[in-house]
Amino acid sequence: ISADGITHLINWQSAHVGVQYYFPGLDGRMWVSGNYARIESNNAKLYGETSKTRLAEDWMDVNLFGDVTKAFRLGAEYAYFNDHYADGVDAVNHRVQVSAFYMF
């Protein structure tokens, strides 16, 4: 609801692309993947406080996974987030995650 008391819909557009590559000679037991996504609004800036209104976000990640055994998998990820706000501020976040999976 905006300052005039009327409910407005925020228009969002999104796109996502991802790729995977399996290393040869390892029977599909190790792979790398990457993703990129973007969301964007052409009207969000009209209905919110500029320092709190997100106009767009870019996100990407890179992952490396390997099956140590048929039941045990290790993985690592690096992710990058960039929030674009209506006041011109970009908020960047870097994340790293390491995972272990036991499949039973």
Side-chain angles (χ1 to χ4, degrees):
I1 299 177
S2 63
D4 60 7
I6 299 173
T7 301
H8 300 273
L9 297 177
I10 305 299
N11 300 325
W12 285 104
Q13 298 168 345
S14 65
H16 180 197
V17 62
V19 295
Q20 288 182 326
Y21 175 76
Y22 286 82
F23 294 103
L26 297 174
D27 297 324
R29 294 189 345 249
M30 182 173 271
W31 66 96
V32 63
S33 66
N35 296 282
Y36 172 77
R38 179 171 175 86
I39 61 169
E40 187 173 331
S41 173
N42 63 358
N43 72 340
K45 64 184 173 216
L46 302 175
Y47 305 114
E49 191 177 322
T50 59
S51 64
K52 296 180 181 180
T53 302
R54 177 188 292 151
L55 299 181
E57 181 178 26
D58 293 299
W59 167 80
M60 66 178 115
D61 75 343
V62 177
N63 306 280
L64 177 65
F65 286 94
D67 291 339
V68 179
T69 69
K70 288 184 178 184
F72 185 61
R73 175 176 294 162
L74 293 174
E77 175 195 38
Y78 165 74
Y80 168 86
F81 299 80
N82 188 354
D83 287 308
H84 310 282
Y85 289 92
D87 62 358
V89 171
D90 283 356
V92 175
N93 185 300
H94 302 274
R95 298 182 188 185
V96 175
Q97 176 176 308
V98 177
S99 302
F101 302 90
Y102 177 68
M103 277 83 61
F104 53 94

